[in-house]
Every structure is written in structure tokens, then in C-alpha cells.
Amino acid sequence: MPKAKVNGVEVEFEPGMNVLQVAELAGEEIPRFCYHERLSIAGNCRMCLVEVKPGPPKPQASCALPAAEGQEIFTNTPMVKKAREGVMEFLLINHPLDCPICDQGGECDLQDQAMGYGRDDSRYAENKRAVEEKHMGPLIKTVMTRCIQCTRCVRFITEVAGTPEIGLISRGEDVEITTYLGSAVTSELSANVIDLCPVGALTSKPYAFNARPWELRKTESVDVMDALGSSIRVDARGPAVLRVLPRTNDDINEEWISDKTRYAVDGLSRQRLDKPYVREAGKLRAATWAEALELVASKLKAAQPERIGVIAGDLQDAESMKAALDLFGGLGVKNLDCRQDGMALGDGPRESWLFNSTIAGIEDADVILLVGTNPRLEAPVLNARLRKRWLAGALRVGVIGEQADLTYPYDYLGAGPDTLAGLSKSRGDFAKALKGAKKAAIIVGAGALNRADSAAVLKAAAGAAKTFGATWNVLHTAASRVGGLDLGFIPGEGGKSAKEMVAKGALDVLFLLGADEIDATSSDAFTVYLGTHGDAGAHKADVILPGAAYTEKNGLYVNTEGRVQMGQRAVFPKGDAREDWAILRALSERVGAKLPYDSLDELRAKLFADHPSFGQIDYAPAGEGASLDLAALGGAGELSDAPFESPVKAFYLTNPVARASVTMAECQALASGQTKIAAE
């Protein structure tokens, strides 16, 4: 490998690196505003100046200068120090001194670097320039007078998000960042520009003036808004969660999160269930825990096991599902299901329901077939990875299903199962590309697996994967789905599925474990709802047991690639609410089937013993899907003519937390309005 010297210290570096990266390999800190590791190089802030020999006797921008064999790089000479002070002085000429009222205060790159690399005075006494604020939608607050034109936001929206709606207009001192025709930014990843902005020009509108960063408790946790399990940091003050920020995790979300992950948190404090309720004479009334649990226990004791059913929701942690499985399985109940949408997976080997390429590994694919999925709505961060791979010029995508804007071009093959079934015999360009691919992958979404003919669709998709030698991947939409399937939270022999359980007369007791995405209005069973919000499940319930939201409990979640991750409690449950597993443990005593654990640690010990995969924290079983017998997947049946449809119709309203969020309601109203205008 080539070598260079940084302040006299010799460093080996990889070909293609720039001088800034080489300097940081040597442990030297280089200030920067416009440079970002995941964006293209702009080279327009000039803060990263260094001195390089051989070369002209002047400071050079290290981010835009390729490193070369034998270079000598100097980062702390008098010339470099004076140049950086000059650049900082220019940046502050028009920058307003409003740090005391700026939400970026305490987390501002400009503050930090002005202290570290700036002058202690200013030679400019002229009036400062003022810039009009811009409308960027309900999520991004703008104070454009603070903008230093680093263009990070422009490059992110254009390159990563794939919706070029932010740009630079005018020249010289009149340069401004603005949106296209002054409209709101529509990308599902738009709020990441807030993290990227090195000053206070773009800040969080819902979070504006709520808190200072040093007031907040910071808890590392896991996102449950989709099945990727993005790494997040939950910031709370007192009993309230105030914001969610991304954590860097190159294996999953890099350093991006969706707008729903970031902003649905205001729903954690609205429409909450904070005490038990019992329905009397058609109306719910507040009750004590003892009263509610005794009523549920009496109904369970009076019912036959085959007349009792349990449906687990999309936001459940593994511990709550394990406790429900142990409790109701011990009572002889076979009607258990974690698949509210009726997905046709769960009977085969574990690899049959996993994203076997892994999220990071999908970047190695050269041809991808999407079946019944819209990754832009179902997993925006994964969609950004697919776009990243396409931008590198090494990816071809084919779509069978909805024809939507995925932010990258694709071959549209057809809308439904007929196209999928005929793909193996096709002589089209995309079929030839699949056959000639070095690393092909197929991604099957919930839209293909939650239909009446899903068994036949599964067989056809598996057949296509086998024919073309493509890696088998399932993209789930529910955070709890893979964990539930790993636990075996599916109907036992002779047991009813979720959709069969909610039919009229099917059951005497229906237990909804945070299940809000299934229509149970036709069921005449005695319904118990254990959950967090006054959503669909609570409206139907005869007894409500208030549970803990994902920020209020320690829990294990398994993402779509099979990676087990640990969520941490940031705040305590609201009011009289309790952790889900603890409620089930208390109920087990009253029905005479006491669960064999009294603490979360004991529950996890049993979980790890019964299901060893849950003990492999942060491990994704990459490559293990190669041994999957694709010929055994799916079942008999006729393929329907109905086209594939993504299960996500309203991106911002997919779960009880998001539906309780005022911010998400504003975003969905904006998205719906734009859809209407486009249709007109």
C-alpha cells in the first residue's frame, strides 16, 4: 500500500483516499463543514485546509485533494492556522450571533470549530446579511440566515434520498438554499438533513425550543417502526421522550433513519392507556389491576382451550411473545398467531423467512428482483442502500408488483403472479440479466405473501429464485414478525390462524397482544387487549390491560435479516401501565398456570435455553440461506389474477404510536394532498 507522512509520521493508506482521510488515519483532527463520508465531495467550505508537499506553497483543501505516494502533509503549521482562522472569519461575517436561542446550541459544529480554529475577535463591523426563511414541510425548521452554504442538505436529498427537491440558487453573496418552487420536501428520509446541517439553519420543527442537549438522558435502543431494526438514540427528559436520533450502524442503517422513526415519538404521550379498563353495559370504566386480571382469569378458566385464541401485534418484543406462548401453550391453546396479515410463512426452516443477503450484503448484488414490495415505503433506509448500489453503476432492478417511484430506474415486468410464474421461461432482457448475474437476489415482500393465494405465490417465487440461482430474501414490515416466527408463535396442529380467530363464533376468548392491524369487529368473543394506545384493539376490547411502549421497556427484537437486537428502556411506563411480560406473569398465577420466572433475566434465560438463536445478540446469519431447499417452499393452489399490492398504504400511519402522533398526521395529510394533485 502507498505511504505518506502526516506531521512527520509515516502512514499507510488505501489507494483512492483523500488527504483528509489520510490525516485522520494518523490521528490528526481536520475541521470540516461541507465534507461528509457518505456524500460526494463539494470542496466549498475550505475549512479543511492543510499544507502539502510536493505542491504549491499555499493551503489546499484536504477533502478534494487525492492522497499520493510520498506526500508530506502538515496540519498544524502557522500557514494552516492562519488560513483556517481566515476561513472561519469569513464564515462568521454574516452569521447571526443567536446561539442562546438556536436549537443547534450545544450540538453545533460551527460553535465547536469557531472555538477550536477561529480568531478571538472580528474585524468586520458592517451590517449582516438577512435571508428569508424557506418552507420545507412540517418536519424541518429553517433559519436560513445561519446557512453557510455547505450544500450537505442538497447532496443528501439528491444522492441518498433520490428526490432532488433542495438546491442552490443565485451567485456570490446572494446564494441561497431553497426547495423546488418553495414546496415541502417529500422524501421519507428528509429529516436526516437536520443531523447533517453543521449550523442551525435546518433544525427540527416539532422539537423546536423544547430542550437543550445537556438536559436530556440519552438511551441507545432499537427502532420498531419497520422491520430493519435501525439503531437509534432515544433522548428523554423526565417522563417524556422528546426526540429520537440515529446511531451509526453500517450493518443496518448506516447513519440514516426514516422520518417516521424520528418523529412518531410524540404519539408515545397521546391516546395512551395508563390504567386497566373493564367494559360494563357497553361502556368502559376504569378498574384496578386485581379486578381486571380476575375477570380475564375467570373467562380463561371457563373456556375450553380450543375456544381461546391469541394474536400478537407488530410492535411486540420477544419476551412478551415468549411469556404469552408459555402461558397459553401451558393451557393447551393451539390458536396462536403473530401474523396479523395472514402471511404464508412460518412452517419451514428459519432461512425461509429471513433476508438472507443481509441488509449490508445486498450492496453486493448486481441484479435484484422485487416481488410484491415497495421498499421506499416498507423500508426507506434499505431503499437508500439499493439506490446507493445503483449509483455505483452496478445494479439492475426488476419489479413485479406496484409501479411506484423507487428513486432509481427499474425494469417493470408486470403486476401480478402470472408474470412471476412465467419469469423462469421468459426470454426478456431482465430474465437474461438474472441468468447472467454474478450475485442475483430476490426480495419478496408482504404484498406477495399476505394474499389468499400466498402459498402458490411463495412456491412460484421460490421456483424463480432456484431457476436463477438468486439469494432468497423476505422483506417484512413488522418489527415483531421474525421474532414471532422464530419462537413458533403460529397455530399448532388444528389451530386457527389470526384471520380465522376473528370470525364470528370462532372463539369464546380472544387475547390481543398489542394487535391493532387486524379487523376484529366481526368477532363476538370476549376480547382482552394488552397494549399501549386507544387504537383499534382497545376499541373492541372488553378488558384493557395497559402495557409498555418500546421506549418504556427492555426488550429483544429480531429484524428482517434475523439479527437479534436489544432495546433499552428510556422512560418508565405511563400511569399504572406495566411491562407486557409482567402482566402475563401476574395473569398466569390467577389461572393456576404460574410461569417459571419472576424477573426479566430469568425469562431471558428460559428464552435463550428454548430458542438459542435469541442469545446471539447482534449476529446476522449471513450466508446460511444458501442451504435453503427452495423447492420445498410454498404449497399447492391456483394463482390469482389480482395484482400485488404493498401493505403500506399510508406510510406515516402504520402502527398505533404513529397514528397517535400529531406530526405523523400532518405528514400524511401533506402526502395525501400531493398524491391527489398528481392524480388530477
Side-chain angles (χ1 to χ4, degrees):
M1 289 203 303
K3 297 178 181 178
K5 284 187 177 181
V6 180
N7 295 334
V9 177
E10 193 170 76
V11 179
E12 281 190 344
F13 62 91
E14 295 179 10
M17 296 182 79
N18 58 35
V19 169
L20 185 151
Q21 292 170 318
V22 173
E24 293 198 331
L25 280 179
E28 297 293 336
E29 180 181 320
I30 305 293
R32 84 290 297 268
F33 291 115
C34 69
Y35 176 77
H36 191 277
E37 293 82 356
R38 302 187 198 277
L39 302 176
S40 62
I41 293 172
N44 56 4
C45 78
R46 319 309 287 179
M47 194 65 206
C48 63
L49 294 172
V50 296
E51 191 177 346
V52 179
K53 294 179 180 179
K58 65 175 184 178
Q60 299 190 65
S62 59
C63 69
L65 184 65
E69 172 72 42
Q71 269 182 338
E72 290 187 70
I73 302 164
F74 302 94
T75 68
N76 52 13
T77 62
M79 179 197 292
V80 170
K81 184 175 185 296
K82 183 179 179 182
R84 288 176 181 170
E85 287 178 353
V87 169
M88 180 60 70
E89 193 173 10
F90 276 121
L91 287 175
L92 293 176
I93 289 173
N94 284 311
H95 196 83
L97 300 179
D98 56 359
C99 298
I101 62 161
C102 177
D103 266 330
Q104 200 83 342
E107 299 173 315
C108 179
D109 290 350
L110 188 64
Q111 278 183 339
D112 297 341
Q113 293 184 36
M115 288 291 292
Y117 304 99
R119 293 167 56 95
D120 58 0
D121 63 341
S122 175
R123 292 174 287 177
Y124 292 91
E126 289 79 10
N127 291 330
K128 290 180 180 287
R129 179 189 69 166
V131 182
E132 285 185 3
E133 311 312 348
K134 304 297 185 290
H135 171 66
M136 292 193 180
L139 305 180
I140 305 169
K141 181 177 185 290
T142 64
V143 184
M144 301 313 290
T145 302
R146 301 171 185 159
C147 179
I148 61 170
Q149 290 85 43
C150 71
T151 69
R152 280 186 180 182
C153 55
V154 177
R155 285 175 284 147
F156 172 82
I157 285 293
T158 303
E159 298 165 11
V160 179
T163 55
E165 298 167 318
I166 301 178
L168 207 63
I169 60 171
S170 300
R171 300 181 67 183
E173 75 161 356
D174 295 323
V175 160
E176 295 181 25
I177 300 284
T178 186
T179 57
Y180 181 67
L181 296 179
S183 59
V185 183
T186 61
S187 170
E188 297 78 17
L189 298 167
S190 65
N192 286 289
V193 300
I194 294 166
D195 298 331
L196 289 171
C197 185
V199 295
L202 305 179
T203 55
S204 172
K205 188 175 284 187
Y207 175 71
F209 311 123
N210 273 358
R212 287 298 197 181
W214 53 84
E215 300 177 310
L216 304 174
R217 294 191 313 277
K218 301 169 178 64
T219 308
E220 294 186 351
S221 193
V222 180
D223 173 44
V224 299
M225 295 292 144
D226 57 32
L228 288 196
S230 299
S231 296
I232 59 173
R233 192 187 85 196
V234 181
D235 287 1
R237 183 180 62 188
V241 173
L242 295 185
R243 66 176 181 177
V244 164
L245 298 176
R247 286 188 291 126
T248 301
N249 187 338
D250 287 331
D251 291 332
I252 302 175
N253 59 306
E254 298 184 295
E255 57 190 87
W256 322 123
I257 54 174
S258 74
D259 293 348
K260 181 167 54 176
T261 297
R262 187 185 300 265
Y263 285 120
V265 291
D266 65 315
L268 292 168
S269 59
R270 293 185 169 91
Q271 298 182 19
R272 287 302 301 271
L273 302 173
D274 58 357
K275 61 183 69 174
Y277 287 88
V278 171
R279 191 178 297 275
E280 286 183 355
K283 293 184 178 181
L284 289 169
R285 67 165 178 84
T288 64
W289 270 109
E291 186 180 1
L293 290 174
E294 285 295 345
L295 178 56
V296 175
S298 67
K299 294 293 184 180
L300 290 174
K301 288 177 183 177
Q304 296 297 316
E306 61 272 14
R307 300 287 296 175
I308 301 172
V310 187
I311 303 175
D314 291 349
L315 305 185
Q316 292 305 122
D317 56 296
E319 291 89 343
S320 67
M321 290 189 286
K322 174 61 174 170
L325 201 62
D326 288 349
L327 170 57
F328 290 97
L331 295 175
V333 175
K334 299 289 183 66
N335 307 317
L336 302 158
D337 207 348
C338 65
R339 306 165 301 181
Q340 294 182 85
D341 56 5
M343 178 175 280
L345 281 172
D347 295 326
R350 187 178 190 231
E351 294 79 17
S352 66
W353 58 76
L354 294 186
F355 199 93
N356 291 292
S357 293
T358 71
I359 294 166
I362 200 67
E363 288 190 40
D364 296 329
D366 52 355
V367 181
I368 294 175
L369 174 64
L370 302 178
V371 180
T373 180
N374 180 346
R376 180 174 174 182
L377 297 182
E378 296 168 28
V381 175
L382 175 66
N383 196 61
R385 275 200 191 262
L386 297 181
R387 175 176 168 79
K388 175 183 174 184
R389 177 67 169 160
W390 169 77
L391 277 175
L395 179 64
R396 187 170 180 179
V397 179
V399 171
I400 300 178
E402 292 182 355
Q403 199 165 3
D405 178 9
L406 298 181
T407 71
Y408 44 83
Y410 56 82
D411 294 86
Y412 185 67
L413 308 177
D418 289 345
T419 306
L420 177 62
L423 188 63
S424 301
K425 300 176 183 177
S426 172
R427 296 183 180 179
D429 288 345
F430 187 77
K432 291 178 182 176
L434 266 176
K435 287 176 183 175
K438 295 179 181 177
K439 204 158 189 179
I442 181 170
I443 300 177
V444 184
L449 300 175
N450 59 7
R451 302 153 47 101
D453 64 342
S454 53
V457 170
L458 181 60
K459 189 173 187 66
K466 186 174 182 180
T467 299
F468 296 110
T471 305
W472 177 258
N473 298 296
V474 177
L475 179 59
H476 295 278
T477 56
S480 66
R481 187 61 51 83
V482 173
L485 295 176
D486 287 351
L487 286 168
F489 206 106
I490 58 175
E493 188 176 347
K496 295 180 174 66
S497 68
K499 293 192 174 180
E500 291 171 337
M501 284 186 235
V502 297
K504 187 173 183 179
L507 300 173
D508 292 335
V509 180
L510 176 62
F511 197 100
L512 300 177
L513 185 61
D516 292 282
E517 313 308 321
I518 189 166
D519 184 4
T521 53
S522 60
S523 174
D524 55 358
F526 182 86
T527 304
V528 182
Y529 177 74
L530 194 168
T532 59
H533 286 73
D535 208 83
H539 293 170
K540 174 71 176 67
D542 295 294
V543 175
I544 293 175
L545 306 175
Y550 72 104
T551 55
E552 299 163 2
K553 59 186 174 184
N554 296 314
L556 296 174
Y557 300 90
V558 190
N559 76 349
T560 194
E561 61 182 349
R563 186 188 302 271
V564 181
Q565 298 184 97
M566 199 171 287
Q568 304 289 343
R569 181 174 63 199
V571 295
F572 287 94
K574 306 297 181 190
D576 292 335
R578 297 291 181 268
E579 293 183 26
D580 302 11
W581 76 266
I583 297 171
L584 293 165
R585 167 65 179 77
L587 179 60
S588 70
E589 281 194 271
R590 287 171 167 79
V591 296
K594 183 179 176 182
L595 293 174
Y597 30 79
D598 298 322
S599 68
L600 185 62
D601 288 340
E602 291 178 9
L603 168 52
R604 282 183 176 168
K606 189 171 191 308
L607 173 64
F608 297 162
D610 294 348
H611 305 276
S613 66
F614 284 91
Q616 298 174 314
I617 306 297
D618 204 34
Y619 166 73
E624 294 182 14
S627 60
L628 177 63
D629 183 7
L630 291 167
L633 292 186
E638 293 292 326
L639 289 170
S640 164
D641 294 334
F644 296 134
E645 294 183 0
S646 171
V648 179
K649 302 300 182 189
F651 170 74
Y652 298 100
L653 306 175
T654 55
N655 59 62
V657 178
R659 286 191 288 270
S661 165
V662 172
T663 307
M664 292 296 96
E666 291 178 9
C667 290
Q668 190 57 47
L670 181 66
S672 301
Q674 287 166 343
T675 303
K676 185 177 179 183
I677 291 169
E680 290 173 350

